[in-house]
């Protein structure tokens, strides 16, 4: 089955700096890669996603890149703000309706 | 995005009793829903896949007789924790994928077994 690894497990950045979280996956059949943000005690929220036919996607301060050859994808947050502090999860999925395989999460702290 | 609701948001029950948690997709139909368990500061652990009109698929190590899943309609799945024990205390979250494979999560249910 698919194996998703996520690094780092914790990340602290100064407000205004950039944050990068990286994930790798094992199964080349995976074709959908979402990123979720989870605040304490709340549900994971989809913040951005990318499909295997695209190499990069950007939405304001958030961007995701995908390297299918190397089987890794990354989340980039620019101009970080304290409200970006949360746990971020990457995931990989193969087909519509199939289960998602989640990374272990990254706890991001943005220091004011 | 799509909306998934979950009820109750928190529940406290005594050891030995059963608890039912509902997961609803409010603005889309979901033939599949997923149930996760999450421990503090840990990732989401998939427990089972709920399939409308057929039996749920359980992950290895998850007791199907203890965690009963019923996918009653295209918008409702229920998880019943039977004969709950303190070690079942956890945060349970459901999710449902849309036709585009975006997966949306319910708000979660905090279960405490005393």
């Amino acid at each position: 089955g698919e194996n998703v690894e996520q690094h780092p497990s914790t990340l602290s950045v100064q407000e205004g700096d950039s944050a990068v979280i990286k994930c790798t996956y094992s199964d080349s059949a995976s074709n959908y890669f979402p990123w979720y943000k989870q605040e304490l005690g709340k549900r994971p929220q989809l913040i951005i996603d990318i499909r295997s036919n695209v190499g990069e996607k950007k939405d304001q301060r958030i961007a995701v890149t995908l390297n299918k050859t190397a089987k890794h994808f990354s989340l980039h947050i620019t101009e970080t703000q304290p409200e970006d502090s949360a746990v971020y999860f990457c995931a990989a999925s193969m087909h519509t309706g199939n289960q998602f395989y989640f990374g272990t999460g990254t706890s991001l702290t943005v220091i004011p | 995005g799509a909306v998934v609701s979950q009820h109750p948001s928190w529940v406290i029950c005594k050891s030995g009793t059963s608890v039912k948690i509902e997961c609803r997709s409010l603005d889309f139909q979901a033939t599949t829903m997923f149930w996760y368990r999450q421990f503090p500061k840990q990732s989401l652990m998939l427990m089972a896949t709920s399939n409308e009109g057929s039996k749920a698929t359980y992950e290895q190590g998850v007791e199907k007789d203890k965690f009963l899943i019923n996918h009653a309609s295209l918008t409702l799945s229920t998880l019943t924790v039977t004969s709950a024990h303190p070690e079942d205390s956890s945060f349970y979250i459901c999710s449902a994928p849309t036709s585009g494979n975006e997966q949306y999560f319910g708000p979660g249910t905090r279960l405490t077994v005393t």
Side-chain angles (χ1 to χ4, degrees):
Chain A
E2 175 67 281
N3 180 42
V4 178
E5 296 189 355
Q6 183 172 345
H7 299 280
S9 57
T10 60
L11 179 60
S12 292
V13 299
Q14 290 291 137
E15 182 177 359
D17 288 350
S18 295
V20 180
I21 303 171
K22 298 181 179 181
C23 287
T24 61
Y25 61 101
S26 60
D27 197 325
S28 57
S30 291
N31 57 17
Y32 177 64
F33 308 93
W35 285 89
Y36 288 86
K37 175 183 180 183
Q38 187 179 28
E39 297 177 5
L40 189 64
K42 296 187 178 180
R43 78 181 87 191
Q45 296 272 15
L46 177 67
I47 56 171
I48 196 168
D49 57 12
I50 193 167
R51 299 184 189 274
S52 59
N53 58 347
V54 176
E56 183 175 358
K57 185 176 178 180
K58 189 174 182 179
D59 182 5
Q60 299 182 334
R61 296 187 297 110
I62 297 173
V64 57
T65 58
L66 170 65
N67 184 326
K68 288 192 296 182
T69 303
K71 297 198 194 71
H72 67 70
F73 55 112
S74 301
L75 177 70
H76 304 253
I77 305 174
T78 58
E79 302 172 28
T80 54
Q81 301 166 4
E83 50 265 38
D84 294 330
S85 296
V87 178
Y88 291 81
F89 293 99
C90 64
S93 175
M94 292 179 211
H95 304 289
T96 300
N98 271 24
Q99 68 183 83
F100 282 25
Y101 296 88
F102 284 90
T104 50
T106 296
S107 178
L108 173 64
T109 301
V110 179
I111 304 167
Chain B
V3 179
V4 176
S5 70
Q6 196 171 331
H7 179 81
S9 56
W10 60 270
V11 58
I12 302 173
C13 70
K14 292 187 176 181
S15 187
T17 61
S18 295
V19 174
K20 180 185 283 188
I21 303 170
E22 293 186 350
C23 178
R24 294 180 186 272
S25 57
L26 298 185
D27 52 358
F28 66 102
Q29 294 182 331
T31 56
T32 301
M33 292 184 178
F34 301 101
W35 287 96
Y36 297 86
R37 185 173 180 176
Q38 187 175 36
F39 293 103
K41 298 186 178 182
Q42 293 190 24
S43 189
L44 298 147
M45 185 191 80
L46 180 66
M47 298 176 64
T49 302
S50 175
N51 303 299
E52 191 270 337
S54 63
K55 292 183 179 180
T57 305
Y58 290 82
E59 295 300 301
Q60 191 173 9
V62 178
E63 300 176 57
K64 61 180 181 180
D65 295 330
K66 180 168 185 61
F67 299 99
L68 300 179
I69 291 173
N70 182 32
H71 202 129
S73 73
L74 288 172
T75 59
L76 173 64
S77 175
T78 60
L79 168 68
T80 301
V81 183
T82 63
S83 187
H85 292 285
E87 56 265 31
D88 298 324
S89 299
S90 190
F91 192 52
Y92 292 87
I93 309 179
C94 69
S95 72
T98 64
S99 58
N101 207 26
E102 295 93 356
Q103 191 169 147
Y104 291 89
F105 287 86
T109 297
R110 175 76 57 193
L111 170 64
T112 302
V113 184
T114 60

